[in-house]
Amino acid sequence: MLSPSNILEIGTFTGYSSLCLAEGLQPEGKLLTIEANAEFEDMILEHFSWTPLGSKIQLKIGLASEVLQTLKNEKRSFDLIFLDADKENYPNYYEILLELLFPKGLMIIDNTLWSGKVIDNSADEPETIGIKTFNTMVSQDNRVSCLILPLRDGITLVQKRN
Protein backbone atom coordinates (compact mmCIF):
# COMPACT_ATOMS: atom_id res chain seq x y z
CA MET A 1 0.00 0.00 0.00
CA LEU A 2 2.77 2.43 0.94
CA SER A 3 5.81 0.82 -0.71
CA PRO A 4 8.26 2.64 1.57
CA SER A 5 11.94 3.28 0.96
CA ASN A 6 12.90 3.69 4.61
CA ILE A 7 11.33 1.83 7.52
CA LEU A 8 12.11 2.17 11.21
CA GLU A 9 11.07 -0.54 13.64
CA ILE A 10 11.33 -0.18 17.41
CA GLY A 11 11.26 -3.58 19.11
CA THR A 12 12.69 -6.45 17.04
CA PHE A 13 12.30 -9.49 19.33
CA THR A 14 12.78 -12.46 16.93
CA GLY A 15 12.91 -10.40 13.73
CA TYR A 16 9.67 -11.81 12.32
CA SER A 17 7.95 -8.43 11.93
CA SER A 18 11.16 -6.98 10.45
CA LEU A 19 11.07 -9.57 7.69
CA CYS A 20 7.36 -8.97 7.08
CA LEU A 21 7.93 -5.22 6.83
CA ALA A 22 10.94 -5.71 4.55
CA GLU A 23 8.73 -7.54 2.05
CA GLY A 24 6.97 -4.25 1.31
CA LEU A 25 10.10 -2.18 0.77
CA GLN A 26 11.02 -0.55 -2.53
CA PRO A 27 13.70 -2.61 -4.36
CA GLU A 28 16.50 -0.43 -2.95
CA GLY A 29 14.73 0.21 0.36
CA LYS A 30 16.19 -0.29 3.82
CA LEU A 31 14.80 -1.12 7.23
CA LEU A 32 16.44 -0.15 10.51
CA THR A 33 15.29 -2.12 13.54
CA ILE A 34 16.13 -1.38 17.18
CA GLU A 35 16.27 -4.05 19.88
CA ALA A 36 17.19 -3.31 23.50
CA ASN A 37 17.96 -6.89 24.49
CA ALA A 38 21.46 -7.85 23.31
CA GLU A 39 20.75 -11.51 24.16
CA PHE A 40 18.50 -11.68 21.08
CA GLU A 41 21.12 -10.40 18.62
CA ASP A 42 22.50 -13.75 17.39
CA MET A 43 19.02 -15.26 16.99
CA ILE A 44 17.76 -12.19 15.09
CA LEU A 45 20.75 -12.12 12.75
CA GLU A 46 20.37 -15.85 12.12
CA HIS A 47 16.73 -15.32 11.15
CA PHE A 48 17.71 -12.48 8.83
CA SER A 49 20.34 -14.70 7.18
CA TRP A 50 17.69 -17.21 6.06
CA THR A 51 16.30 -14.86 3.40
CA PRO A 52 17.59 -12.33 0.85
CA LEU A 53 15.42 -9.75 2.63
CA GLY A 54 17.88 -9.87 5.51
CA SER A 55 20.35 -7.83 3.48
CA LYS A 56 17.87 -4.93 3.52
CA ILE A 57 17.70 -4.90 7.33
CA GLN A 58 20.09 -3.22 9.74
CA LEU A 59 19.85 -4.29 13.38
CA LYS A 60 20.81 -1.77 16.05
CA ILE A 61 21.17 -3.10 19.60
CA GLY A 62 20.56 -0.43 22.23
CA LEU A 63 18.00 1.54 24.15
CA ALA A 64 15.44 2.98 21.78
CA SER A 65 15.55 6.38 23.48
CA GLU A 66 19.28 6.68 22.76
CA VAL A 67 19.15 5.31 19.21
CA LEU A 68 16.19 7.54 18.35
CA GLN A 69 18.04 10.60 19.61
CA THR A 70 21.00 9.66 17.40
CA LEU A 71 18.70 9.27 14.39
CA LYS A 72 17.18 12.67 15.13
CA ASN A 73 20.65 14.25 15.37
CA GLU A 74 21.54 12.64 12.03
CA LYS A 75 18.34 14.13 10.56
CA ARG A 76 17.12 10.71 9.40
CA SER A 77 13.58 10.34 8.06
CA PHE A 78 11.32 7.35 7.50
CA ASP A 79 8.26 6.64 5.37
CA LEU A 80 7.00 4.00 7.79
CA ILE A 81 7.59 3.47 11.50
CA PHE A 82 6.49 0.38 13.41
CA LEU A 83 6.45 0.65 17.21
CA ASP A 84 6.22 -2.54 19.26
CA ALA A 85 8.54 -2.00 22.21
CA ASP A 86 8.34 -1.18 25.90
CA LYS A 87 4.76 -0.01 26.29
CA GLU A 88 5.39 2.33 29.23
CA ASN A 89 7.62 4.43 26.97
CA TYR A 90 5.22 4.79 24.04
CA PRO A 91 4.43 8.40 25.12
CA ASN A 92 8.14 9.19 25.40
CA TYR A 93 8.83 7.86 21.91
CA TYR A 94 5.90 9.59 20.21
CA GLU A 95 7.31 13.10 19.70
CA ILE A 96 10.68 11.96 18.40
CA LEU A 97 9.05 9.36 16.12
CA LEU A 98 6.79 12.05 14.72
CA GLU A 99 9.88 14.16 13.97
CA LEU A 100 11.50 11.19 12.19
CA LEU A 101 8.40 10.53 10.09
CA PHE A 102 8.10 12.07 6.61
CA PRO A 103 4.99 14.20 5.96
CA LYS A 104 2.21 11.80 4.93
CA GLY A 105 4.29 8.98 6.45
CA LEU A 106 2.63 6.21 8.43
CA MET A 107 3.29 5.07 11.96
CA ILE A 108 1.94 1.67 13.04
CA ILE A 109 1.73 1.06 16.77
CA ASP A 110 1.04 -2.40 18.18
CA ASN A 111 -0.84 -3.42 21.33
CA THR A 112 -2.85 -0.21 21.72
CA LEU A 113 -5.91 -1.97 23.16
CA TRP A 114 -3.74 -3.98 25.59
CA SER A 115 -6.21 -6.82 26.22
CA GLY A 116 -8.93 -4.26 26.95
CA LYS A 117 -7.02 -2.81 29.90
CA VAL A 118 -6.99 0.64 28.26
CA ILE A 119 -10.68 1.06 29.16
CA ASP A 120 -10.30 -0.35 32.68
CA ASN A 121 -9.95 2.58 35.08
CA SER A 122 -8.50 0.30 37.77
CA ALA A 123 -5.64 -0.94 35.53
CA ASP A 124 -2.56 0.86 36.82
CA GLU A 125 0.43 -1.13 35.59
CA PRO A 126 3.15 1.04 34.00
CA GLU A 127 2.57 -0.57 30.58
CA THR A 128 -1.18 0.10 30.69
CA ILE A 129 -0.68 3.70 31.85
CA GLY A 130 1.84 4.22 29.03
CA ILE A 131 -0.54 2.94 26.38
CA LYS A 132 -3.49 4.92 27.78
CA THR A 133 -1.37 8.09 27.80
CA PHE A 134 -0.14 7.38 24.28
CA ASN A 135 -3.66 6.78 22.95
CA THR A 136 -4.84 10.08 24.46
CA MET A 137 -1.84 11.98 23.06
CA VAL A 138 -2.40 10.68 19.55
CA SER A 139 -6.16 11.19 19.58
CA GLN A 140 -5.71 14.85 20.59
CA ASP A 141 -2.84 15.63 18.19
CA ASN A 142 -4.05 17.74 15.26
CA ARG A 143 -0.77 17.12 13.39
CA VAL A 144 -1.90 13.58 12.61
CA SER A 145 -4.84 11.47 11.54
CA CYS A 146 -5.25 8.28 13.53
CA LEU A 147 -7.30 5.12 13.66
CA ILE A 148 -7.30 2.23 16.12
CA LEU A 149 -7.99 -1.09 14.45
CA PRO A 150 -9.49 -3.58 16.91
CA LEU A 151 -7.46 -6.48 15.53
CA ARG A 152 -6.08 -8.86 18.17
CA ASP A 153 -4.53 -6.56 20.78
CA GLY A 154 -5.14 -3.35 18.84
CA ILE A 155 -3.15 -1.64 16.12
CA THR A 156 -3.11 2.13 15.77
CA LEU A 157 -2.37 3.77 12.44
CA VAL A 158 -1.06 7.33 12.62
CA GLN A 159 -0.55 9.36 9.45
CA LYS A 160 1.43 12.56 9.70
CA ARG A 161 -0.22 15.49 8.00
CA ASN A 162 1.79 17.94 5.89
Side-chain angles (χ1 to χ4, degrees):
M1 182 171 85
L2 187 59
S3 193
S5 297
N6 296 297
I7 298 175
L8 173 63
E9 176 185 42
I10 302 92
T12 314
F13 189 45
T14 64
Y16 177 75
S17 58
S18 306
L19 291 168
C20 291
L21 290 165
E23 285 185 26
L25 279 166
Q26 295 269 343
E28 300 302 317
K30 295 289 182 190
L31 183 147
L32 172 62
T33 185
I34 305 167
E35 175 55 50
N37 192 336
E39 293 178 11
F40 295 153
E41 183 174 14
D42 290 340
M43 173 193 56
I44 293 166
L45 293 175
E46 181 181 353
H47 291 167
F48 291 169
S49 74
W50 294 343
T51 171
L53 292 173
S55 65
K56 295 180 169 219
I57 304 171
Q58 177 190 4
L59 172 64
K60 194 75 131 167
I61 300 293
L63 295 176
S65 57
E66 295 172 6
V67 176
L68 292 174
Q69 188 58 52
T70 300
L71 295 173
K72 179 182 171 185
N73 293 343
E74 294 172 352
K75 301 194 183 317
R76 297 279 304 270
S77 295
F78 299 89
D79 308 302
L80 178 68
I81 296 174
F82 179 59
L83 175 59
D84 187 15
D86 48 325
K87 312 312 178 211
E88 63 272 14
N89 281 311
Y90 276 21
N92 300 328
Y93 298 147
Y94 180 64
E95 281 301 321
I96 195 163
L97 291 177
L98 203 55
E99 288 182 47
L100 295 172
L101 191 62
F102 277 123
K104 300 288 186 186
L106 185 65
M107 199 182 314
I108 303 170
I109 304 89
D110 201 12
N111 306 115
T112 52
L113 292 179
W114 203 234
S115 300
K117 292 181 184 180
V118 294
I119 59 169
D120 180 354
N121 291 330
S122 66
D124 61 357
E125 306 86 10
E127 298 88 356
T128 305
I129 292 169
I131 294 170
K132 285 180 177 184
T133 302
F134 173 82
N135 288 345
T136 300
M137 288 172 68
V138 171
S139 70
Q140 295 175 354
D141 190 346
N142 61 7
R143 300 171 295 172
V144 301
S145 298
C146 66
L147 170 70
I148 294 179
L149 298 173
L151 302 172
R152 296 191 46 117
D153 207 17
I155 297 173
T156 297
L157 304 177
V158 176
Q159 185 176 36
K160 186 175 181 179
R161 295 183 177 156
N162 291 334

